[in-house]
Amino acid sequence: MAKETFYTAVDIGSNKVCSIVSRVGTEGELKILGTGIVPSLGMLKGRIENIGEVKTAIKASLEEAQRYIGRGVISGVYVGASGSHISCLNTKDVLDNPNDVEDVNSRDLERLIQSSFPEVESSQEVLHIIPIGYEVDGLSAVRNPAGLHAKQVQVESHVVLGDAPALKNTVKAVEANKVSVKSLVLESLASAEATLTGDEREMGAVLVDIGGGTIDLVIYRQGNPWYSAVIPVGGNQLTRDLAVAMRVPYYLADEIKVKWAQAMPELVRPDEEVVVPSFQGQPRRIVKRRSLCEPLQERLVEMFKLILLRVRQAGLRQLPTGGLVITGGCADLPGIRELALKTLGGPVRVAYPMGIAGLPTQLQKASASTAVGLLLWGIKHQGEKRTYRNGDRTLKAQKTRGWSFRRGHKEEQKVAAEKR
Ligand SMILES: Nc1ncnc2c1ncn2[C@@H]1O[C@H](COP(=O)(O)OP(=O)(O)OP(=O)(O)O)[C@@H](O)[C@H]1O
Ligand SMILES: [Mg+2]
């Protein structure tokens, strides 16, 4: 009988730390055993700025998640990685079979993918190398060339890079809690795992997880991630704007935002009024709801323009056919879909975690997409050697049997430079 396997995810967000402990049963069913969501401290725009506070928040979150299952279940965890230091490139590498010796097998392919390991500066770390397409003797879009006889196989890979010290700090903050990090996973890829449909991936779609401090963005094309980026702005900026506009403290602005904000002020009745509660001896005030929504709309439009800029950097003129999929805490802002539609064109969808039966209510939220996706990613990629951490630079291109490796053309590597 197959052994039960436990999976744990830790999403260290700018606003909350969310840990989930789960188990994959003997029939392959996923069961959530415990969830711990606690306020996050010490994070700024997806990057650790106070490691002591982050360690404490992770500890509290893991303890809450383990409350009903006891300690000792968690061995390795899948942890989200974000921050504006994240960059990406797409590489092309070639496997030649000049002497026409043998069929290509899965080991050759694995080595070919690993040969996509780019030359990186010592301050950078490779987070992911994801094969996104093969070309076999000039025939493109081959899904799996294993077993084929060929003279040449080319792989295109999506490579995600991050700042090595920033990623090491994330690992350090988690491992201070006596658990080991199995893999760091780009947060946008985790969120995509929990929210994108197969059709959206195939047609091409832009997934944005708009959280408190960052917009984690990934563009899928022909079923695979093609471009990824982190934009260092999120819902906390909306709160700051509101705090300034309404002359109220930050905590109150956030409360007002979650209660009354509407991304499309024109959908609010012109005479609708809301109460700004009293604070620090200031009397309560009554204001027009529209007046508090207007500055938020301006900022959101600015955010959508930043998203469009990234779409263009990826070489697209407009949204792909699968459109824009919005998740993360800000996806719950009323009117966000309509505003995105108006600013970027369509289609636009607000997405919540899916793909897990019996998901607890507290995880059926757009803000839980990353954490749920980390579990799904972990299950899908378990045992893969291709997830890297702590600067694993040992995987270099090697000769394998009769096949030999060749690096792709350098000018084809930068996604941003690619125009289609
Ligand atoms: N109903 C709502 N309306 C408007 N904004 C909301 C709503 N619910 C949550 N938010 C905002 O979502 C943001 C938090 O989202 P989320 O929990 O996804 O962030 P995070 O994962 O902690 O941060 P990040 O991923 O950016 O590091 C906050 O700015 C919060 O105010
Ligand atoms: Mg987040």
Side-chain angles (χ1 to χ4, degrees), residues 11 13 16 187 209 211 370:
D11 169 27
K16 48 102 188 39
E187 289 182 13
D209 182 312
T370 305

Side-chain angles (χ1 to χ4, degrees), residues 210-212 233-246 250 253-254 257 261 263 292-303 329-331 333 336 339:
I210 313 182
V233 65
N236 297 347
Q237 186 61 53
L238 299 175
T239 306
R240 274 192 291 275
D241 291 344
L242 198 58
V244 172
M246 307 290 297
Y250 183 88
D254 204 52
K257 181 185 78 172
L292 64 88
C293 299
E294 274 152 9
L296 299 185
Q297 186 183 50
E298 271 173 43
R299 181 67 75 182
L300 278 163
V301 168
E302 208 177 288
M303 288 185 193
C330 291
L333 176 64
I336 196 163
L339 185 63

Side-chain angles (χ1 to χ4, degrees), residues 13-34:
S14 307
N15 284 49
K16 48 102 188 39
V17 177
C18 177
S19 300
I20 314 177
V21 185
S22 70
R23 188 188 71 198
V24 175
T26 49
E27 306 290 316
E29 74 288 1
L30 182 72
K31 202 168 177 335
I32 306 293
L33 303 177

